[in-house]
Amino acid sequence: MTRRLARALVAAATVTVVSFGLTACESEFLSAQDGWQYSLSRSASPTPSVTPSPSRAPAPSASASPVEPTPAPTPAPVDPGFNAALHSIDDPASRWVVSNKLRPLSPVGFVPPDLVAATVPFVSNPYMRPDAATAIAVMFAAAAAEGAGALQIQNAYRSYDTQVRVYGDWVSRVGQASADAQSARPGHSEHQTGFGVDITSLPARCSIQECFGQTPEGVWLAGNAYRFGFILRYPAGMTDVTGFIYEPWHFRYVGTKLSTEMRERGVETLEEFFGLPAAANYAG
């Protein structure tokens, strides 16, 4: 009985030990299996996608960078401080006076009080207002220095009486209708203000002719006169506004403030700039 009891006790102890060992090994295996399965599931599944933050889109690769469009040219800025009422457009002594077929000078026989002879080559009558005379000398020097060629005054100031003779000569040669398209009636001429000037090359070529606009001197003047305070008073295609044919030789001194402002705004005529009625024809 003692031996049988002893064998039974030994067998029970062995089963307990074996059972305990299997449980420990199984527990250890399951833990390892759990880890392997987690590792497998991570390596077997595709790389997780990441939803970009709404505020930050993924940056494009260098090879796929879009080509930035060329920006449109920016218009030249308009001076916000420009004062269009700085000078009178009615006073014949003002550098901004507007004289045209609807706006005769007042008084009609106005004579500038301070005419001086511009110190530049001239064909006839180089008299101008002092600031205009100074500016034209600087402009002629710049034209020569910049390769445009030599310039001279064809004529500048003309009195009321002189304009009577000039206009009358045009009428006698081509008739009043044609004369009105290319010569101002007495009292309406910019030449009478001392601010208007006809320019030609030196030596003269295409003087008082449309072809002057195609000469190197004419081209330079059209593109650069504003720098010195002059504007091309009767540009091409603007007869319905100014009342006169294209005159690439006729320039008007207005000062650099106004000439530059007109250039930057892209406005060619004084009538348009100051909001005046078109002056294609005389009132009567």
Side-chain angles (χ1 to χ4, degrees):
M1 288 292 296
T2 302
R3 289 181 181 174
R4 288 179 181 174
L5 180 59
R7 287 195 193 100
L9 291 174
V10 171
T14 302
V15 170
T16 301
V17 172
V18 171
S19 174
F20 177 80
L22 286 173
T23 302
C25 288
E26 182 180 359
S27 175
E28 192 171 320
F29 171 76
L30 290 175
S31 297
Q33 186 182 48
D34 284 345
W36 172 80
Q37 288 177 338
Y38 174 73
S39 176
L40 178 64
S41 66
R42 293 184 61 190
S43 60
S45 63
T47 302
S49 60
V50 178
T51 302
S53 168
S55 61
R56 294 186 62 188
S61 64
S63 60
S65 297
V67 177
E68 291 293 331
T70 302
T74 302
V78 175
D79 181 2
F82 183 83
N83 181 7
L86 181 62
H87 298 290
S88 171
I89 62 173
D90 302 313
D91 181 357
S94 168
R95 66 174 62 176
W96 288 3
V97 63
V98 181
S99 174
N100 59 32
K101 291 181 177 181
L102 296 178
R103 295 174 58 85
L105 298 176
S106 181
V108 71
F110 170 75
V111 177
D114 53 358
L115 292 169
V116 299
T119 56
V120 297
F122 63 94
V123 175
S124 66
N125 205 342
Y127 291 94
M128 303 182 74
R129 301 293 297 278
D131 47 357
T134 298
I136 203 167
V138 175
M139 183 168 70
F140 282 13
E146 294 174 19
L151 295 168
Q152 62 180 330
I153 288 177
Q154 179 70 34
N155 58 76
Y157 171 71
R158 290 201 298 262
S159 68
Y160 178 90
D161 291 339
T162 299
Q163 193 65 27
V164 169
R165 294 193 296 271
V166 170
Y167 177 75
D169 181 61
W170 276 101
V171 172
S172 65
R173 287 190 292 115
V174 300
Q176 185 168 350
S178 293
D180 281 344
Q182 49 201 312
S183 179
R185 293 180 184 180
H188 295 260
S189 175
E190 287 195 328
H191 286 279
Q192 192 177 328
T193 68
F195 292 120
V197 58
D198 294 337
I199 301 173
T200 189
S201 56
L202 179 64
R205 54 176 170 160
C206 285
S207 298
I208 316 300
Q209 299 177 61
E210 187 174 315
C211 60
F212 180 70
Q214 280 72 56
T215 65
E217 296 87 349
V219 171
W220 186 91
L221 283 169
N224 294 278
Y226 80 95
R227 294 163 46 197
F228 308 92
F230 289 88
I231 62 170
L232 177 61
R233 182 63 178 98
Y234 305 123
M238 302 300 288
T239 301
D240 288 345
V241 175
T242 66
F244 292 97
I245 62 172
Y246 171 45
E247 294 188 359
W249 61 86
H250 182 97
F251 287 82
R252 162 68 190 278
Y253 182 76
V254 295
T256 55
K257 193 171 187 66
L258 178 54
S259 64
T260 300
E261 189 72 8
M262 291 178 68
R263 179 81 172 193
E264 290 180 345
R265 293 192 191 186
V267 179
E268 295 184 277
T269 70
L270 294 176
E271 287 80 8
E272 292 172 305
F273 187 86
F274 289 112
L276 298 172
N281 299 293
Y282 290 101

